[in-house]
Amino acid sequence: MDKVLVLNFGGQYDQLIARRIRALHVFAEIKNYNQITPEEIRASGYRGIVFTGGPHSVYADGAPRCKSAVLSLGIPVLGICYGLQLLAFLTGGTVAPAEAGSEYGKTNVCTEENALFAGVPKNSVCWMSHTDAVQAVPPGFAVIAQTAHCPCAAIADDARKLYGVQFHPEVTHTEYGARVLQNFVFDVCGCGGDWQMEDVAEATIEKYKKVLSGKKVLLGLSGGVDSSVAAALLHRAIGDRLTCVFVDHGLLRKGEGDFVEQTFRDRFGLRLIRVNAEDRFLAALRGVTDPEAKRKIIGAQFVRVFEEEAKKLGKIDVLAQGTIYPDVIESGKGDAATIKSHHNVGGLPERMTFSEIAEPLRELFKDEVRQIGEALGLPRKLVWRQPFPGPGLGVRVLGEITKEKLEILREADAIFRDVLEQHTSDLPNQYFAVLTDSRSVGVMGDERTYGYTVALRAVTTDDFMTATWTRLPYDALEDASSRITNEVKGVSRVVYDITSKPPATVEWE
Ligand code: XMP
């Protein structure tokens, strides 16, 4: 299998570059620039290397730089933005603040004939975001693109197969960006493009048949996409030696627990233990109103229930987890400020001891995990489901969590989802109801009512780091409001949340 290395210099698009290359059916792997040596790169058999962008000035003290030996391995290199500047810097060119000042946004670019630009018209639009620029082109390189403000928008040394572009081919604003990456991986690097999800699924199953041979494995199944696909894969590999524990904390959406049970136990014949722990969670949460305290209690209870179930099963050799590639990459980076203490139901209880951990999805992005789920025959409803937080409805019932409030929220949420699914096939990335802790006066028939206020939330986002509130059609909102107030006892008002992230977060708590 051909693979390409994405060498990260602190850019914000490293994952996007890898995903774009993988979409071409070529496996791409991300490493930080100081995580791998030139010798290791050679030994790993990469067919090409992409240097990412980054926020630094390459000439500054302490700027992230790889060894110049990386350029002498005979492996083609494509430098993007900071990556281009680093390539120039390491090969004897000079880089300085751009004379015309920084260049940002969609820009017309004029390209020369070159293998990198095959099929790209002479004039097209690219996406720029830089302050520094190459001032003196390194020996052996030709300038192969320019913009009005950037005389050196791309460089090439065809003989050594070293290329650099100042613009970002990985973002969709660059009209022919996908073509540039395609030219690089296929024509310059000579990759075959034979990396297919069905093959990945089969290879993973074969691998785990061997490494888990004769071993007993436990997996915490949340019903989310990642743990579900991990369960389906491992079940194909080891059958009944896999036991999944599904902790139903009573904070699930309407019908969710039964759906998980039916899918995995009844349809797939998987060994599934469903632990009904609602009473226990609600008892632990009684009287608690602080959002962080609630999250911590839910996380801690979860670990305890999971541990107890594991103990009942006797000796287990391996703990399996649905860790995916972005989790692996993120854990290799510095810690950003904690906004909320995230809790993942499938997460590893820290105090538990297993001799081994199995993470069959640790090299895959979310969209790839979904493709594998489909290839394994998991229901579309499960594979394409929207994200649902580990603490569940616990972060959507504001104030104290009670059984009564959870019931109200479950009904309102199910109605909202149903209404949206009927109104549009182009669903928001996440949409749900929140039960606020405020009551308001209403009138029904001739009676005065005094019920809860339900807030509806729907967001549009690529990565959930930022999100905008979705412009839902008024008639969908009208339908949702009228059905919720009519069908759910205890609700007298429905409001729509029109706050983006930032400044708000997606969840209310
Ligand atoms: P926020 O509210 O932080 O949410 O803007 C961003 C995304 O993360 C989900 N979320 C969680 N997921 N455990 C999870 O697995 C958690 O504790 C958690 N909190 C929020 C949220 O639903 C949204 O998709």
Side-chain angles (χ1 to χ4, degrees):
M1 175 186 72
D2 295 328
K3 54 181 184 175
V4 167
L5 172 66
V6 176
L7 206 54
N8 183 29
F9 293 92
Q12 47 178 331
Y13 296 130
D14 55 334
Q15 295 193 26
L16 199 52
I17 298 170
R19 278 169 57 193
R20 296 270 185 260
I21 296 174
R22 288 183 180 195
L24 298 167
H25 301 291
V26 173
F27 185 65
E29 215 167 27
I30 303 170
K31 300 264 188 229
N32 281 336
Y33 73 97
N34 51 4
Q35 225 182 350
I36 186 163
T37 64
E39 296 71 37
E40 287 165 342
I41 294 177
R42 189 205 305 275
S44 303
Y46 293 109
R47 298 294 299 258
I49 306 171
V50 178
F51 290 177
T52 73
H56 303 272
S57 282
V58 72
Y59 46 81
D61 285 347
R65 296 182 204 128
C66 59
K67 297 229 168 72
S68 58
V70 171
L71 305 177
S72 319
L73 298 170
I75 304 174
V77 172
L78 172 65
I80 296 176
C81 195
Y82 177 87
L84 156 95
Q85 295 161 15
L86 178 65
L87 179 64
F89 183 87
L90 293 175
T91 50
T94 53
V95 177
E99 276 161 17
S102 52
E103 194 179 27
Y104 184 79
K106 284 188 180 176
T107 310
N108 291 319
V109 63
C110 175
T111 52
E112 306 291 328
E113 229 165 81
N114 185 272
L116 196 64
F117 296 140
V120 178
K122 189 156 185 58
N123 292 293
S124 63
V125 171
C126 72
W127 176 263
M128 283 290 196
S129 173
H130 66 116
T131 314
D132 287 343
V134 173
Q135 304 294 344
V137 180
F141 281 81
V143 173
I144 56 166
Q146 43 202 294
T147 70
H149 291 290
C150 184
C152 181
I155 57 173
D157 179 341
D158 292 314
R160 287 197 288 164
K161 297 197 174 181
L162 303 178
Y163 297 86
V165 287
Q166 184 58 70
F167 57 86
H168 287 270
E170 71 277 24
V171 304
T172 48
H173 307 299
T174 297
E175 263 181 305
Y176 289 87
R179 184 65 202 249
V180 171
L181 292 174
Q182 179 188 327
N183 291 339
F184 179 69
V185 297
F186 293 135
D187 302 339
V188 177
C189 303
C191 292
D194 50 5
W195 191 68
Q196 305 283 353
M197 270 312 128
E198 290 78 12
D199 300 342
V200 173
E202 287 311 318
T204 310
I205 292 165
E206 287 311 309
K207 172 181 162 186
Y208 282 97
K209 268 185 191 166
K210 290 195 192 102
V211 295
L212 297 177
S213 161
K215 292 178 181 156
K216 277 186 163 182
V217 181
L218 178 69
L219 182 134
L221 184 70
S222 68
V225 182
D226 304 340
S227 64
S228 297
V229 174
L233 264 177
L234 293 177
H235 184 242
R236 283 271 305 274
I238 62 165
D240 267 1
R241 277 183 285 115
L242 172 72
T243 304
C244 293
V245 172
F246 170 51
V247 178
D248 182 345
H249 46 26
L251 306 167
L252 297 170
R253 286 168 292 193
K254 188 176 178 182
E256 192 160 28
D258 294 342
F259 173 64
V260 169
E261 192 168 349
Q262 278 157 15
T263 305
F264 287 98
R265 187 187 290 149
D266 304 345
R267 204 171 136 184
F268 279 86
L270 197 135
R271 277 173 73 128
L272 176 76
I273 298 172
R274 175 175 175 177
V275 191
N276 288 315
E278 181 185 24
D279 291 346
R280 178 176 181 155
F281 275 81
L282 291 188
L285 287 164
R286 192 168 300 133
V288 181
T289 55
D290 175 64
E292 273 302 289
K294 284 193 213 171
R295 279 173 173 274
K296 293 219 166 89
I297 290 169
I298 297 169
Q301 281 295 323
F302 179 83
V303 173
R304 215 163 297 153
V305 175
F306 192 77
E307 279 177 342
E308 283 172 18
E309 291 307 314
K311 217 173 271 167
K312 286 187 208 158
L313 290 169
K315 186 178 171 325
I316 297 280
D317 310 290
V318 183
L319 180 76
Q321 299 194 102
T323 316
I324 66 171
Y325 200 40
D327 308 331
V328 176
I329 304 167
E330 289 309 319
S331 62
K333 292 181 182 167
D335 241 11
T338 306
I339 310 281
K340 294 175 189 178
S341 52
H342 270 214
H343 152 64
N344 291 310
V345 164
L348 170 70
E350 272 167 29
R351 284 180 289 137
M352 292 184 84
T353 49
F354 290 90
S355 42
E356 281 173 62
I357 305 269
E359 294 176 320
L361 308 175
R362 61 177 285 124
E363 291 189 337
L364 302 174
F365 287 112
K366 192 85 168 188
D367 44 341
E368 297 163 346
V369 170
R370 291 199 158 111
Q371 287 172 43
I372 294 214
E374 288 207 322
L376 293 172
L378 286 174
R380 279 188 69 78
K381 186 175 156 196
L382 200 158
V383 169
W384 292 99
R385 68 181 359 194
Q386 51 169 322
F388 184 61
L393 301 184
V395 292
R396 296 181 184 169
V397 168
L398 311 193
E400 185 181 3
I401 300 171
T402 64
K403 209 164 170 154
E404 181 220 2
K405 284 163 103 179
L406 282 167
E407 260 328 298
I408 292 176
L409 177 57
R410 253 193 281 276
E411 291 303 318
D413 181 68
I415 291 172
F416 181 45
R417 285 188 289 133
D418 184 48
V419 166
L420 282 197
E421 282 153 24
Q422 290 190 19
H423 269 267
T424 173
S425 54
D426 185 20
L427 287 162
N429 301 101
Q430 200 171 6
Y431 48 102
F432 53 88
V434 173
L435 189 67
T436 73
D437 205 22
S438 75
R439 290 178 193 235
S440 72
V441 175
V443 53
M444 201 166 259
D446 291 331
E447 299 275 316
R448 174 189 188 273
T449 57
Y450 185 55
Y452 283 108
T453 305
V454 164
L456 305 178
R457 179 84 163 134
V459 293
T460 304
T461 172
D462 278 336
D463 55 8
F464 295 93
M465 307 288 280
T466 61
T468 49
W469 61 275
T470 307
R471 273 61 176 168
L472 290 178
Y474 279 172
D475 46 351
L477 289 169
E478 162 72 34
D479 241 14
S481 152
S482 130
R483 278 193 56 194
I484 291 170
T485 44
N486 276 303
E487 296 173 29
V488 189
K489 214 168 157 282
V491 177
S492 59
R493 201 171 289 262
V494 176
V495 298
Y496 187 48
D497 181 350
I498 50 165
T499 332
S500 290
K501 173 183 180 177
T505 52
V506 174
E507 302 289 347
W508 275 41
E509 286 197 338

